[in-house]
Amino acid sequence: MKMNRRKFLKSSGSLVVGVSASGAIQSLIAGDALAQGVSFPDPSPERLDTWVSVARDGQVTAFFGKVDMGLGLETAIAQIVAEELDMPVDRVSIVAGDTLLTANQGGASASSGIRAGAIPLRNAAAEARRVLALAGAERLGVAANAVGTANGEVFVLADPSKRIGYGQILDGKPLGTNVKWNKEMGTPLNVTGEAKPKSVADYKVVGQPVARRDIPAKMLGTTDYLTNVRLPGMLHARILRPPVGAAVPVSFDAASIASIAGARVVHKKDLLAVVAEREWDAVRAARMLKVEWTNPEMNWPGTEGVYDHIRSAPAVASNGESAFAGKRVYDETPTYKALAGAARVLTADYECPFQSHARIAPSVGVADVKPGSAVIYADTQKPHFVRLGIAKLLELPADKVRVMWKPGAGSYGRSDADEAPFEAAVLSRELGRPVRVQWTRNEGTAWDPKAPAAVISMKAGLNDKGGIDGWYMRSKGFSGWDVKFTADSPEQTLVGMQLGYKKWDMHNFDVPTETYQFANTVRFWQTVAPLQEKASPMRCAHLRAPQEVQTRFAQECFIDEVAMATGRDPLALRLAACKEPREIDVLKAVTEKAGWNAADTRPRTAKGDVVTGRGLALYNGYGSYAALVVEVEVNRRTGHVWARKVTVAQDSGLVINPASIKAVIEGNVVQGLSRAMCEEVTFDQKTVTSVDWNTYPILDMKDAPEQVDMVVLNRTDKASGGAGEPTLVSITAAVANAIHNATGVRMRRYPFTAARVRAALSA
Amino acid sequence: MAKTTITVDGRAHEVAATPDTPLLYVLREELSLNGPKFGCGLAQCGTCTVLVDGRAVRSCVTPVSAVKGAVRTLDGLAAGGKPHPVQAAFIAEEAAQCGYCANGWIMSSIAMLEKNPKATDAQIREQLSGLKCRCGTHMAILRAVRRAAAQMA
């Protein structure tokens, strides 16, 4: 049986979905009884109907192949589609992330939702308007150039009372035409039609502060979260994790859980799980099961030893080798020469901890695997790639697997979200019933893929006038690609490795894009071997602004250190070293808003327990530019640091929704402060010791800033940039610079916990 | 097995769960409620919060047998389709990204404001301390609670 997208849409009663009908299609999708061997073919990007459909009642549905992680993306996409179609925005519905219904646009990745993800939707909607206008003109009996479109209707220009709605024009039929596909999959996927999208000057819906459509349901408790998926006959599962990172199960004692009716153990190679009919029974079985584990020798360097370990460990890859096919992309010789001839060389090492996504809820996955096909429910950022990975794991062709994305706990990169769905798939295949795997808090913090720890070494060669003649940056750390950013193959997951798939052998760290232009600059990275080769709790992957928080911490602190050493205002030094006008614009905007005073940039000399200071930092990336001024209060007695006021200036090009972008920036500020002040994955010789919110604290409400001010530069002449990450990246450096301004103490290791700051102050 | 009876959102339910089962699992699995959510199972984040006789309680660690008072959940807040003033304030301020933790903030805010409708900013921060929002929507949550306080006072 071939259950294609079209049959799904048709069987919902009409081709289309709307506000009311959207509920209908959702329940149909969720309630579909999965027949054996059913096929789920990919929607063809070349069909206009893959992107846009129009119901009889005129409601439009746009099919979005990325997903919204809570940043208001669906609302923004609806605005863009409504704009091109000349529709009221509330008559445009969005279906997102279901691999049967949407093309593979790459999922949530690199703040690309608008800057890349919206482009094919915009083009398709413009083309749909053209097709509808042509058909409408014919129905109205006038020439194609004698009609206009407005409010979801085609009307006669000379007599606007003669008009016909889009729904009436199509009468339930598809648009039926093709668009040109660039043959890319994932984020670069684009399609174009004959129609040209509108020019910005004509925008009516884009640029308006439209209310986020996902918000009311979230507050009323009616959002269709992944955690609410309850399938008939579904078993609940928990995975057993070893007491020591590299241990694997040897045997288990089934009698130890015999008192729990219906509880069972699944042991397959290195995977050990318990299942039960009721969730609490699964929890109890996981706690009670007696397991014998191997006892491998473990010699991790531990939280305090990790930086010396990184310094002394051999580099296994760099951006001259391995990841870029052996092509050396940097030459350090001119920098070494410049440093050797400099009047003075400043050096500093910056230390960056492992950090966890630590999602508000740990991984969940539901799988219904039948012989020959599978339906997976996941809140992954990349459902289309998870589909490929699970198909491979189940040894099924990709078109036999459907991944249905559901909203879930916030995710900030390659989090644990991708794990439980794979585990559920294995268990459902083994047991022949739908299975729901729920990770524990411990797993969600300790076994979540991490941001890699690193030591970033900076050097600047100064001439006798204080000018900078050489600039050196080496990022050395664990690979951020221990686990790939897409789980498109089983070895990218714990369970894949537990079942014998060989770990991915790729290595990557990062160096910043060229913000400051100095002579004889070299920026390069090196990675060291992972602490554990296989199925490791310490494996690293993308965490929001991957590796950039680390590198910008070093760069944006070090430029301040150079300013201090050469008697310059950190703002003036940055302005002199930037060549990009958009960087200069945000620096000027933020310092004007915050009342930056060049005469007040040396460490302040105030006495008393609580002292204040402020710091500046800059970022460019994802097509955006962000500058921040953070004002801190430092309690010199306790070491506690509070970021009292944060000022942001951001240029993300053309703004789609000014209300949403402000919320996104505010969220970046608070999560960025959390990473700067609180977050560090701790571990000892053999295991991760950050296992819950007490051992992996995040920013508490008491420490939220008093004030977040912002200037959003709406650059209508520039393409929209990504806003999901830029503000967060450099805030750690801005806080460190502010602590220095307040106390004269330079913090070169984050997070700036009270204990660490207190120790630095008394050193 | 002795059945446990609990009153949830004004209705009495006889539940089949063992007495040690945390209230959260009963609400979600037996009563199919979606408001209270699993976040940590350790009473550390608040996503599972319900009100028991007006007090905010972490349902993930509260055995169902220990629940003696009337339980209120997010699912039962809206009266006749009209959101509770705290819900309305969170909607107006768009105080969520993923929204997964919203239940804890809303239920805890109700417990606080029903006792102290004139809560100051410092009191709000203090009393909501300990709840977790991973997306970092703290600023919008503070605005929402202040807005709700102004409307409920």
Side-chain angles (χ1 to χ4, degrees), chain A residues 155-304:
Chain A
F155 64 91
V156 178
L157 289 167
D159 180 3
S161 71
K162 288 186 183 146
R163 56 186 209 259
I164 181 167
Y166 295 164
Q168 261 181 291
I169 293 169
L170 289 184
D171 194 27
K173 289 191 289 294
L175 287 155
T177 59
N178 282 355
V179 281
K180 238 166 123 178
W181 174 33
N182 67 356
K183 304 292 176 191
E184 298 275 0
M185 288 303 256
T187 297
L189 190 163
N190 193 17
V191 296
T192 45
E194 284 176 42
K196 226 177 103 190
K198 282 184 186 176
S199 64
V200 176
D202 296 329
Y203 280 172
K204 296 182 191 76
V205 185
V206 169
Q208 298 305 309
V210 174
R212 261 176 59 191
R213 47 183 57 198
D214 56 315
I215 289 285
K218 284 176 174 173
M219 301 310 172
L220 297 170
T222 55
T223 296
D224 184 24
Y225 283 111
L226 171 63
T227 193
N228 302 341
V229 171
R230 302 167 176 101
L231 301 184
M234 181 176 83
L235 289 164
H236 292 274
R238 291 293 185 278
I239 311 297
L240 279 290
R241 301 289 170 200
V244 166
V248 295
V250 177
S251 64
F252 63 90
D253 174 14
S256 60
I257 59 164
S259 64
I260 304 171
R264 276 184 282 172
V265 179
V266 177
H267 183 192
K268 202 173 160 56
K269 296 187 179 172
D270 292 347
L271 169 69
L272 185 65
V274 290
V275 296
E277 302 288 336
R278 285 169 173 259
E279 188 167 12
W280 182 241
D281 286 341
V283 175
R284 292 201 301 138
R287 290 177 185 170
M288 286 162 60
L289 185 69
K290 285 193 182 138
V291 183
E292 187 195 343
W293 302 92
T294 57
N295 189 21
E297 196 166 317
M298 302 288 298
N299 58 355
W300 291 351
T303 318
E304 294 309 313

